[in-house]
Amino acid sequence: MKNKIIAIYPGTFDPVTNGHIDIIDRASQLFDEVIVTVALNINKTPLFSSDERKFLLKEVTKKYKNVKIDSFSGLLVDYAKKNKASVIVRGLRAVSDFEYEFQMSLTNRKLAPKVTTIFLMPNEKYTYLNSSLVRELSKFNGDISGFVPAIVRKKLKEKRKKD
Ligand code: ADP
C-alpha cells in the first residue's frame, strides 16, 4: 500500500477566514491527512489566544474527516519531520505574497530537502482577504459576513464588547 501523504498547513489564523477554509478544503481533497497548525512563536501580538484560534479552526473544519488542528513553536521543518509530513501547504493570493513565500519555501527546502512546499490558490473572491482586514473591519463594526464563518463573527463581536 502506498504511504499516506501527510500535509501541514501552518499559519497565524488570527482569526481563520473563508480564504483559509478554501485552502483547507482543497488540501483535504489532495492529501490523506492535513494538519492545520497554529504558529505560536510569531513576533506579533495576536487578537485571539492560541487556544481561541484552535477552537475556531476546529469548529469550522468539523466536516473534514482528514483534517486535524494543532499548534507548534520552533522550526516548521522540525515540526513537519516529527509529524511525518512530506508537504507544507501555503496559500498564494497575489504577487505580494510571492517574495516572502518564495524565500521561505527555498529556506525550508535547504533545511529539509524531502519536505515540499505546495502553493494553492483560493477562489478569486478571496484573493484580497486576510485576517488583519477582518480584524480592522470588525473593530469598526463593518460587515464581514462574506469573509468569515458565523462562529468567527460571534467571537469577534465578543472581543469588541471587551474593549
Ligand atoms: P501567516 O502569518 O503565516 O501568513 P496567515 O494566517 O495570515 O498566516 O496565513 C496562513 C496561510 O494562509 C498563508 O500561506 C497565507 O498566504 C494563506 N492565506 C491567508 N489568507 C488567505 C486567503 N484569503 N486565500 C488564500 N490563502 C490565504
Side-chain angles (χ1 to χ4, degrees):
M1 208 180 82
K2 98 175 170 41
N3 279 342
K4 266 205 328 181
I5 301 184
I6 301 172
I8 53 176
Y9 177 34
T12 313
F13 305 108
D14 185 34
V16 58
T17 69
N18 290 344
H20 295 127
I21 297 169
D22 179 297
I23 299 295
I24 293 169
D25 186 285
R26 286 169 207 281
S28 81
Q29 293 179 50
L30 287 169
F31 306 110
D32 297 302
E33 190 179 320
V34 178
I35 309 172
V36 182
T37 187
V38 174
L40 300 177
N41 53 346
I42 299 289
N43 291 331
K44 34 192 175 182
T45 315
L47 175 65
F48 290 98
S49 72
S50 58
D51 282 344
E52 289 171 323
R53 284 178 276 157
K54 281 202 277 187
F55 167 79
L56 287 174
L57 278 164
K58 276 185 195 149
E59 285 294 311
V60 302
T61 58
K62 265 185 194 156
K63 71 168 184 170
Y64 301 105
K65 298 297 164 230
N66 62 341
V67 172
K68 279 195 209 161
I69 309 301
D70 193 19
S71 56
F72 77 103
S73 52
L75 281 183
L76 183 62
V77 288
D78 290 340
Y79 177 83
K81 283 183 200 162
K82 202 178 87 197
N83 286 281
K84 300 189 169 40
S86 54
V87 173
I88 297 172
V89 171
R90 295 287 288 174
L92 260 197
R93 280 160 292 190
V95 187
S96 51
D97 279 340
F98 181 76
E99 185 90 28
Y100 173 71
E101 295 293 343
F102 180 73
Q103 193 182 29
M104 218 165 51
S105 92
L106 291 184
T107 307
N108 283 334
R109 184 186 286 168
K110 194 99 190 152
L111 295 172
K114 287 188 181 147
V115 180
T116 300
T117 303
I118 288 186
F119 295 98
L120 297 177
M121 274 171 265
N123 185 304
E124 64 270 14
K125 63 184 182 217
Y126 301 132
T127 48
Y128 58 92
L129 178 57
N130 62 45
S131 299
S132 70
L133 181 86
V134 167
R135 291 195 303 274
E136 281 292 301
L137 278 174
S138 160
K139 196 157 91 187
F140 301 110
N141 220 348
D143 181 10
I144 50 169
S145 51
F147 300 157
V148 292
I151 181 134
V152 177
R153 283 208 303 279
K154 182 168 160 259
K155 292 285 166 194
L156 279 162
K157 202 169 163 187
E158 285 170 19
K159 287 269 170 203
R160 222 167 38 227
K161 282 190 188 141
K162 281 185 202 148
D163 278 351

Coordinates of all heavy atoms in Angstrom, one line a residue, residues 9-23 39 42 44 89-93 97 100-101 104 119-123 125-132 135, ligand 1:
Y9 N -0.5 22.6 7.2 CA -0.8 23.9 6.7 C -0.6 24.9 7.9 O -1.5 25.0 8.8 CB -2.3 23.9 6.3 CG -2.8 25.3 5.8 CD1 -2.1 26.2 5.2 CD2 -4.2 25.6 6.0 CE1 -2.6 27.4 4.7 CE2 -4.7 26.8 5.6 CZ -3.9 27.7 5.0 OH -4.4 28.9 4.5
P10 N 0.5 25.6 7.9 CA 0.8 26.5 9.1 C 0.4 27.9 8.8 O 0.3 28.3 7.7 CB 2.4 26.4 9.1 CG 2.7 26.3 7.6 CD 1.6 25.5 7.0
G11 N 0.1 28.6 9.9 CA -0.3 30.0 9.8 C -0.6 30.6 11.1 O -0.6 29.9 12.2
T12 N -1.0 31.9 11.1 CA -1.3 32.5 12.3 C -2.8 32.4 12.7 O -3.2 32.2 13.8 CB -1.0 34.1 12.2 OG1 0.4 34.2 11.7 CG2 -1.0 34.7 13.6
F13 N -3.6 32.4 11.6 CA -5.1 32.2 11.7 C -5.7 33.0 12.8 O -6.3 32.5 13.8 CB -5.4 30.7 12.0 CG -4.8 29.7 11.0 CD1 -3.7 28.9 11.3 CD2 -5.3 29.7 9.7 CE1 -3.1 28.1 10.3 CE2 -4.7 28.9 8.7 CZ -3.6 28.1 9.0
D14 N -5.5 34.3 12.7 CA -5.9 35.3 13.8 C -7.0 36.3 13.3 O -6.6 37.4 13.1 CB -4.7 36.0 14.3 CG -5.0 36.9 15.5 OD1 -5.9 36.5 16.3 OD2 -4.4 38.0 15.7
P15 N -8.2 35.9 13.0 CA -8.8 34.5 13.1 C -8.8 33.8 11.7 O -8.4 34.4 10.7 CB -10.2 34.9 13.5 CG -10.5 36.1 12.8 CD -9.2 36.9 12.7
V16 N -9.3 32.6 11.7 CA -9.5 31.8 10.5 C -10.5 32.5 9.6 O -11.5 33.1 10.1 CB -9.9 30.4 10.8 CG1 -11.1 30.3 11.6 CG2 -10.0 29.5 9.5
T17 N -10.2 32.6 8.3 CA -11.2 33.3 7.4 C -11.7 32.3 6.3 O -11.1 31.2 6.2 CB -10.5 34.4 6.6 OG1 -9.5 33.8 5.7 CG2 -9.8 35.4 7.5
N18 N -12.6 32.7 5.5 CA -13.1 31.9 4.4 C -12.0 31.6 3.4 O -12.0 30.5 2.7 CB -14.2 32.6 3.7 CG -15.5 32.6 4.6 OD1 -15.6 31.9 5.6 ND2 -16.4 33.5 4.2
G19 N -11.0 32.5 3.3 CA -9.8 32.2 2.5 C -9.0 31.0 3.0 O -8.7 30.1 2.2
H20 N -8.8 30.9 4.3 CA -8.1 29.8 4.9 C -8.9 28.5 4.6 O -8.3 27.5 4.3 CB -7.9 30.0 6.4 CG -7.0 31.1 6.8 ND1 -7.4 32.1 7.7 CD2 -5.7 31.4 6.4 CE1 -6.4 32.9 7.9 NE2 -5.4 32.5 7.1
I21 N -10.2 28.6 4.8 CA -11.0 27.4 4.7 C -11.0 26.9 3.3 O -11.0 25.7 3.0 CB -12.5 27.7 5.2 CG1 -12.5 28.1 6.7 CG2 -13.4 26.5 4.9 CD1 -13.8 28.7 7.2
D22 N -11.0 27.8 2.3 CA -10.9 27.5 0.9 C -9.6 26.6 0.7 O -9.7 25.6 0.0 CB -10.9 28.7 0.0 CG -10.8 28.5 -1.4 OD1 -9.7 27.9 -1.9 OD2 -11.7 28.8 -2.2
I23 N -8.5 27.1 1.3 CA -7.3 26.3 1.1 C -7.3 25.0 1.8 O -6.9 23.9 1.3 CB -6.1 27.1 1.7 CG1 -5.9 28.5 0.9 CG2 -4.8 26.3 1.6 CD1 -5.6 28.4 -0.6
A39 N 0.9 28.7 14.4 CA 2.3 29.1 14.7 C 2.2 30.0 16.0 O 1.6 31.0 16.1 CB 2.9 29.9 13.6
I42 N 5.4 33.8 16.9 CA 5.3 34.9 16.0 C 5.5 36.2 16.8 O 5.0 36.3 17.9 CB 3.9 34.9 15.3 CG1 3.7 33.6 14.5 CG2 3.8 36.1 14.4 CD1 4.5 33.4 13.3
K44 N 4.2 39.0 16.6 CA 3.1 39.9 16.7 C 2.2 39.5 17.8 O 2.1 38.3 18.2 CB 2.4 40.1 15.4 CG 2.3 38.8 14.6 CD 1.8 39.1 13.2 CE 1.8 37.8 12.4 NZ 1.4 37.9 11.0
V89 N 1.7 23.1 3.0 CA 0.7 23.9 2.2 C 0.7 25.3 2.5 O 0.7 25.7 3.7 CB -0.7 23.3 2.4 CG1 -1.7 24.2 1.7 CG2 -0.8 21.9 1.9
R90 N 0.8 26.2 1.5 CA 0.6 27.6 1.8 C -0.3 28.2 0.7 O -0.4 27.6 -0.4 CB 2.0 28.3 1.6 CG 3.0 28.0 2.7 CD 2.7 28.5 4.1 NE 3.0 30.0 4.1 CZ 2.6 30.7 5.2 NH1 2.1 30.1 6.3 NH2 2.9 32.0 5.2
G91 N -1.0 29.2 1.1 CA -1.9 29.8 0.1 C -1.2 31.0 -0.6 O -0.5 31.7 0.0
L92 N -1.5 31.1 -1.8 CA -1.0 32.3 -2.6 C -2.1 33.1 -3.1 O -3.0 32.6 -3.9 CB -0.2 31.8 -3.8 CG 1.3 31.7 -3.8 CD1 1.8 31.6 -5.3 CD2 2.0 32.8 -3.1
R93 N -2.2 34.3 -2.6 CA -3.3 35.2 -3.0 C -2.9 36.1 -4.2 O -3.6 36.1 -5.2 CB -3.7 36.1 -1.8 CG -4.5 35.4 -0.8 CD -4.5 36.1 0.5 NE -3.2 36.0 1.1 CZ -2.9 36.4 2.3 NH1 -3.8 36.9 3.0 NH2 -1.7 36.2 2.8
D97 N 2.3 38.2 -2.1 CA 2.6 37.0 -1.2 C 3.9 36.4 -1.7 O 4.6 35.7 -1.0 CB 1.6 35.9 -1.3 CG 0.4 36.2 -0.4 OD1 0.5 37.0 0.6 OD2 -0.7 35.6 -0.6
Y100 N 8.0 36.7 -0.2 CA 8.2 36.1 1.1 C 8.0 34.6 1.1 O 8.8 33.9 1.7 CB 7.2 36.8 2.1 CG 7.1 36.1 3.5 CD1 8.1 36.3 4.4 CD2 6.0 35.4 3.9 CE1 8.1 35.8 5.6 CE2 6.0 34.8 5.1 CZ 7.0 35.0 6.0 OH 6.9 34.4 7.2
E101 N 7.0 34.1 0.4 CA 6.8 32.7 0.3 C 7.9 32.0 -0.4 O 8.3 30.9 0.0 CB 5.4 32.4 -0.4 CG 4.2 32.9 0.4 CD 3.9 32.2 1.7 OE1 4.5 31.1 1.9 OE2 3.2 32.7 2.5
M104 N 10.8 31.7 1.9 CA 10.6 30.7 3.0 C 10.6 29.3 2.5 O 11.2 28.4 3.1 CB 9.3 31.0 3.6 CG 9.3 30.8 5.1 SD 7.9 31.5 5.9 CE 6.6 30.9 5.1
F119 N 1.9 25.4 -3.2 CA 1.1 26.6 -3.1 C -0.3 26.3 -3.7 O -0.4 25.8 -4.8 CB 1.8 27.8 -3.7 CG 3.0 28.2 -3.0 CD1 4.3 27.7 -3.5 CD2 3.0 28.9 -1.9 CE1 5.4 28.0 -2.8 CE2 4.1 29.2 -1.2 CZ 5.3 28.8 -1.7
L120 N -1.3 26.7 -3.0 CA -2.7 26.6 -3.6 C -3.3 27.9 -3.7 O -3.1 28.8 -2.8 CB -3.5 25.7 -2.6 CG -3.0 24.2 -2.4 CD1 -3.9 23.5 -1.4 CD2 -3.0 23.5 -3.8
M121 N -4.0 28.2 -4.7 CA -4.7 29.4 -4.9 C -6.1 29.3 -4.6 O -6.8 28.4 -5.0 CB -4.5 29.9 -6.4 CG -3.2 30.7 -6.6 SD -2.9 31.0 -8.3 CE -1.9 29.6 -8.7
P122 N -6.6 30.3 -3.8 CA -8.1 30.2 -3.4 C -9.0 30.7 -4.5 O -8.5 31.2 -5.5 CB -8.1 31.2 -2.2 CG -7.1 32.3 -2.6 CD -6.0 31.5 -3.3
N123 N -10.2 30.5 -4.4 CA -11.2 31.1 -5.2 C -10.9 32.6 -5.3 O -10.6 33.2 -4.3 CB -12.6 30.9 -4.6 CG -13.7 31.4 -5.5 OD1 -13.8 32.5 -5.9 ND2 -14.6 30.5 -5.8
K125 N -12.5 35.1 -5.3 CA -13.2 36.1 -4.4 C -12.5 36.3 -3.0 O -12.8 37.2 -2.3 CB -14.7 35.7 -4.2 CG -14.9 34.4 -3.5 CD -16.4 34.1 -3.5 CE -16.7 32.8 -2.8 NZ -17.7 32.0 -3.3
Y126 N -11.5 35.4 -2.8 CA -10.8 35.5 -1.5 C -9.4 36.1 -1.7 O -8.6 36.1 -0.8 CB -10.7 34.2 -0.8 CG -12.0 33.6 -0.5 CD1 -12.3 32.3 -0.8 CD2 -13.0 34.4 0.1 CE1 -13.6 31.7 -0.5 CE2 -14.3 33.8 0.4 CZ -14.6 32.5 0.1 OH -15.8 32.0 0.3
T127 N -9.0 36.5 -2.9 CA -7.6 36.8 -3.2 C -7.2 38.1 -2.4 O -6.0 38.3 -2.3 CB -7.3 37.0 -4.7 OG1 -8.3 37.8 -5.2 CG2 -7.3 35.7 -5.4
Y128 N -8.1 38.9 -2.0 CA -7.7 40.1 -1.3 C -8.0 40.0 0.2 O -7.8 41.0 1.0 CB -8.5 41.3 -1.8 CG -10.0 41.1 -1.7 CD1 -10.6 41.6 -0.6 CD2 -10.7 40.4 -2.7 CE1 -12.0 41.4 -0.4 CE2 -12.0 40.2 -2.5 CZ -12.7 40.6 -1.4 OH -14.0 40.4 -1.2
L129 N -8.4 38.9 0.6 CA -8.8 38.7 2.0 C -7.7 38.3 2.9 O -7.0 37.3 2.6 CB -10.0 37.6 2.0 CG -10.6 37.2 3.4 CD1 -11.1 38.4 4.1 CD2 -11.7 36.2 3.1
N130 N -7.6 38.9 4.1 CA -6.6 38.4 5.1 C -7.2 38.7 6.5 O -8.1 39.5 6.6 CB -5.2 39.0 4.9 CG -5.2 40.5 5.0 OD1 -5.7 41.1 5.9 ND2 -4.5 41.1 4.1
S131 N -6.6 38.1 7.5 CA -7.1 38.2 8.8 C -7.0 39.6 9.4 O -7.9 40.0 10.1 CB -6.3 37.3 9.8 OG -6.4 35.9 9.4
S132 N -6.0 40.4 9.0 CA -5.9 41.7 9.6 C -7.0 42.6 9.0 O -7.5 43.5 9.7 CB -4.5 42.3 9.4 OG -4.3 42.6 8.1
R135 N -10.0 41.8 11.1 CA -9.9 42.4 12.4 C -10.2 43.9 12.4 O -10.9 44.4 13.3 CB -8.5 42.2 13.0 CG -8.2 40.7 13.4 CD -6.9 40.7 14.3 NE -5.7 41.3 13.7 CZ -4.9 40.7 12.9 NH1 -5.0 39.4 12.5 NH2 -3.8 41.3 12.4
Ligands
ADP1 P1 0.9 33.8 8.1 O1 1.1 34.8 9.2 O2 1.7 32.6 8.2 O3 0.9 34.4 6.7 P2 -1.9 33.6 7.9 O4 -2.9 33.1 8.9 O5 -2.1 35.0 7.5 O6 -0.5 33.3 8.5 O7 -2.0 32.7 6.6 C1 -1.6 31.3 6.6 C2 -1.5 30.9 5.2 O8 -2.8 31.0 4.6 C3 -0.5 31.6 4.3 O9 0.0 30.7 3.4 C4 -1.4 32.6 3.6 O10 -0.8 33.0 2.4 C5 -2.7 31.8 3.4 N1 -3.8 32.7 3.3 C6 -4.2 33.7 4.1 N2 -5.4 34.3 3.7 C7 -5.7 33.6 2.5 C8 -6.7 33.8 1.5 N3 -7.6 34.8 1.6 N4 -6.7 33.0 0.5 C9 -5.7 32.1 0.4 N5 -4.7 31.9 1.2 C10 -4.7 32.6 2.3

